[in-house]
Coordinates of all heavy atoms in Angstrom, one line a residue:
Q306 N 17.8 11.0 -34.6 CA 17.9 10.1 -33.4 C 19.4 10.0 -32.9 O 19.6 9.9 -31.7 CB 17.4 8.7 -34.0 CG 16.1 8.6 -34.1 CD 15.8 7.1 -34.5 OE1 16.4 6.4 -35.2 NE2 14.4 6.6 -34.1
S307 N 20.4 10.2 -33.8 CA 21.8 10.2 -33.4 C 22.0 11.3 -32.5 O 22.7 11.3 -31.4 CB 22.7 10.1 -34.6 OG 22.5 8.9 -35.4
I308 N 21.5 12.6 -33.0 CA 21.7 13.8 -32.1 C 21.0 13.6 -30.7 O 21.4 14.1 -29.8 CB 21.1 15.0 -32.9 CG1 21.8 15.1 -34.2 CG2 21.2 16.4 -32.0 CD1 23.3 15.6 -34.1
N309 N 19.8 13.0 -30.9 CA 19.0 12.8 -29.7 C 19.7 12.0 -28.6 O 19.6 12.3 -27.4 CB 17.7 12.1 -30.1 CG 16.8 12.3 -28.9 OD1 16.3 13.3 -28.4 ND2 16.2 11.1 -28.4
Y310 N 20.5 10.9 -29.1 CA 21.2 10.1 -28.0 C 22.4 10.9 -27.4 O 22.8 10.7 -26.3 CB 21.6 8.8 -28.8 CG 20.7 7.7 -28.7 CD1 19.9 7.4 -30.0 CD2 20.3 7.2 -27.6 CE1 19.0 6.5 -30.0 CE2 19.4 6.1 -27.7 CZ 18.7 5.8 -28.9 OH 17.8 4.8 -28.9
W311 N 22.9 11.8 -28.2 CA 23.9 12.8 -27.5 C 23.3 13.5 -26.4 O 23.8 13.7 -25.4 CB 24.6 13.6 -28.6 CG 25.5 14.6 -28.0 CD1 25.4 15.9 -27.5 CD2 26.9 14.4 -27.8 NE1 26.5 16.4 -27.1 CE2 27.4 15.5 -27.2 CE3 27.8 13.2 -28.0 CZ2 28.8 15.7 -26.8 CZ3 29.1 13.3 -27.7 CH2 29.5 14.6 -27.1
L312 N 22.0 14.1 -26.7 CA 21.5 15.0 -25.7 C 21.0 14.2 -24.5 O 21.1 14.6 -23.4 CB 20.2 15.6 -26.3 CG 20.5 16.6 -27.3 CD1 19.2 17.2 -28.0 CD2 21.3 17.9 -26.9
I313 N 20.7 12.8 -24.7 CA 20.4 11.8 -23.6 C 21.6 11.6 -22.7 O 21.5 11.6 -21.6 CB 19.9 10.5 -24.2 CG1 18.4 10.7 -24.8 CG2 19.7 9.5 -23.0 CD1 17.9 9.4 -25.4
R314 N 22.8 11.5 -23.4 CA 24.1 11.2 -22.8 C 24.3 12.4 -21.9 O 24.9 12.3 -20.7 CB 25.2 11.2 -23.8 CG 26.5 11.1 -23.2 CD 27.6 11.0 -24.4 NE 28.9 11.1 -23.7 CZ 29.5 10.1 -23.2 NH1 29.0 8.9 -23.2 NH2 30.7 10.3 -22.7
K315 N 23.9 13.6 -22.2 CA 24.3 14.9 -21.6 C 23.3 15.2 -20.5 O 23.3 16.2 -19.9 CB 24.5 16.0 -22.4 CG 25.6 15.8 -23.6 CD 27.0 15.4 -23.0 CE 27.7 16.6 -22.3 NZ 29.0 16.2 -21.9
K316 N 22.2 14.3 -20.5 CA 21.1 14.5 -19.7 C 20.2 15.9 -19.8 O 19.7 16.5 -19.0 CB 21.4 14.4 -18.2 CG 22.2 13.2 -17.7 CD 22.5 13.2 -16.3 CE 23.2 11.9 -15.9 NZ 23.6 11.8 -14.5
K317 N 20.4 16.3 -21.2 CA 19.6 17.4 -21.5 C 18.2 17.2 -22.1 O 17.8 17.4 -23.1 CB 20.4 18.2 -22.6 CG 21.8 18.5 -22.4 CD 21.8 19.4 -21.0 CE 23.2 19.8 -20.6 NZ 23.3 20.5 -19.2
F318 N 17.4 16.7 -21.1 CA 16.0 16.3 -21.4 C 15.1 17.4 -21.7 O 14.1 17.3 -22.4 CB 15.4 15.5 -20.2 CG 16.3 14.3 -19.9 CD1 17.1 14.1 -18.8 CD2 16.2 13.2 -20.7 CE1 17.9 13.1 -18.4 CE2 17.1 12.1 -20.4 CZ 17.9 12.1 -19.3
F319 N 15.4 18.7 -21.2 CA 14.6 19.8 -21.5 C 14.8 20.3 -23.0 O 13.9 20.5 -23.6 CB 14.9 21.0 -20.6 CG 14.1 22.2 -20.8 CD1 12.7 22.1 -20.5 CD2 14.6 23.4 -21.4 CE1 12.0 23.3 -20.8 CE2 13.8 24.5 -21.7 CZ 12.5 24.5 -21.2
A320 N 16.1 20.1 -23.5 CA 16.3 20.3 -24.9 C 15.6 19.3 -25.7 O 15.2 19.9 -26.9 CB 17.9 20.3 -24.9
I321 N 15.7 18.1 -25.3 CA 14.9 17.1 -26.1 C 13.4 17.5 -26.3 O 12.8 17.3 -27.4 CB 15.1 15.7 -25.5 CG1 16.6 15.3 -25.6 CG2 14.3 14.7 -26.2 CD1 16.9 14.0 -24.8
S322 N 12.8 17.8 -25.2 CA 11.5 18.3 -25.1 C 11.1 19.4 -26.0 O 10.1 19.5 -26.8 CB 11.0 18.6 -23.8 OG 11.1 17.5 -23.0
K323 N 12.1 20.5 -26.1 CA 11.9 21.6 -27.0 C 11.9 21.2 -28.4 O 11.2 21.7 -29.3 CB 12.9 22.6 -26.7 CG 12.7 23.5 -25.4 CD 13.4 24.7 -25.2 CE 14.9 24.5 -25.3 NZ 15.6 25.7 -25.2
N324 N 12.7 20.3 -28.8 CA 13.0 19.7 -30.2 C 11.7 19.2 -30.6 O 11.3 19.3 -31.7 CB 14.1 18.8 -30.2 CG 15.5 19.3 -30.0 OD1 15.6 20.7 -30.0 ND2 16.5 18.7 -29.7
K325 N 11.1 18.4 -29.8 CA 9.9 17.6 -30.2 C 8.8 18.6 -30.5 O 8.1 18.5 -31.5 CB 9.4 16.7 -28.9 CG 10.3 15.5 -28.7 CD 9.8 14.8 -27.4 CE 10.7 13.6 -27.1 NZ 10.5 12.5 -28.1
I326 N 8.7 19.6 -29.6 CA 7.6 20.7 -29.9 C 7.9 21.4 -31.2 O 6.9 21.7 -31.9 CB 7.6 21.7 -28.6 CG1 7.2 21.0 -27.4 CG2 6.7 22.8 -28.9 CD1 7.3 21.8 -26.1
I327 N 9.1 21.7 -31.4 CA 9.5 22.4 -32.7 C 9.0 21.7 -33.9 O 8.5 22.1 -34.8 CB 10.9 22.9 -32.7 CG1 11.2 23.9 -31.7 CG2 11.3 23.3 -34.1 CD1 12.6 24.3 -31.6
R328 N 9.5 20.3 -33.8 CA 9.2 19.5 -35.0 C 7.7 19.3 -35.3 O 7.2 19.6 -36.4 CB 9.7 18.1 -34.7 CG 9.4 17.1 -35.9 CD 9.4 15.6 -35.5 NE 8.6 14.8 -36.4 CZ 8.4 13.5 -36.1 NH1 8.9 12.9 -35.1 NH2 7.7 12.9 -37.1
R329 N 6.8 19.0 -34.2 CA 5.4 18.9 -34.4 C 4.6 20.3 -34.8 O 3.7 20.3 -35.5 CB 4.8 18.4 -33.1 CG 5.3 16.9 -32.8 CD 4.8 16.0 -34.0 NE 5.0 14.6 -33.6 CZ 4.8 13.7 -34.6 NH1 4.3 13.8 -35.7 NH2 5.0 12.4 -34.2
S330 N 5.2 21.3 -34.2 CA 4.6 22.7 -34.6 C 4.8 22.9 -36.2 O 3.9 23.3 -36.8 CB 5.2 23.7 -33.8 OG 5.0 23.6 -32.4
V331 N 6.1 22.7 -36.6 CA 6.4 23.0 -38.0 C 5.7 22.1 -39.0 O 5.0 22.5 -39.9 CB 7.9 23.0 -38.2 CG1 8.2 23.1 -39.6 CG2 8.6 24.1 -37.4
E332 N 5.6 20.9 -38.5 CA 5.0 19.7 -39.4 C 3.6 20.0 -39.5 O 3.0 20.0 -40.6 CB 5.3 18.4 -38.6 CG 4.6 17.3 -39.4 CD 4.6 15.9 -38.6 OE1 5.8 15.4 -38.5 OE2 3.6 15.5 -38.0
G333 N 2.8 20.2 -38.4 CA 1.4 20.2 -38.4 C 1.0 21.6 -39.1 O 0.1 21.6 -39.8
G334 N 1.7 22.7 -38.8 CA 1.3 24.0 -39.4 C 1.6 23.8 -40.9 O 0.8 24.4 -41.7
S335 N 2.7 23.3 -41.3 CA 2.9 23.1 -42.8 C 1.8 22.4 -43.5 O 1.4 22.6 -44.6 CB 4.3 22.5 -43.0 OG 5.2 23.2 -42.5
Q336 N 1.3 21.2 -42.9 CA 0.3 20.3 -43.4 C -1.0 21.0 -43.5 O -1.6 20.9 -44.6 CB 0.2 19.0 -42.6 CG 1.3 18.0 -42.7 CD 1.2 17.0 -41.8 OE1 0.6 16.9 -40.7 NE2 1.9 15.9 -42.0
I337 N -1.3 21.9 -42.6 CA -2.6 22.7 -42.8 C -2.5 23.7 -43.8 O -3.3 24.0 -44.6 CB -2.9 23.3 -41.3 CG1 -3.3 22.3 -40.3 CG2 -3.9 24.4 -41.6 CD1 -4.7 21.7 -40.6

Side-chain angles (χ1 to χ4, degrees):
Q306 283 188 331
S307 298
I308 298 295
N309 192 57
Y310 277 106
W311 176 270
L312 296 175
I313 292 172
R314 172 185 175 81
K315 306 303 289 185
K316 302 181 183 180
K317 300 303 177 181
F318 300 107
F319 184 69
I321 295 172
S322 296
K323 287 199 295 184
N324 295 343
K325 292 175 183 288
I326 295 172
I327 288 173
R328 177 202 163 187
R329 290 302 186 181
S330 298
V331 173
E332 176 189 290
S335 298
Q336 290 173 334
I337 291 288

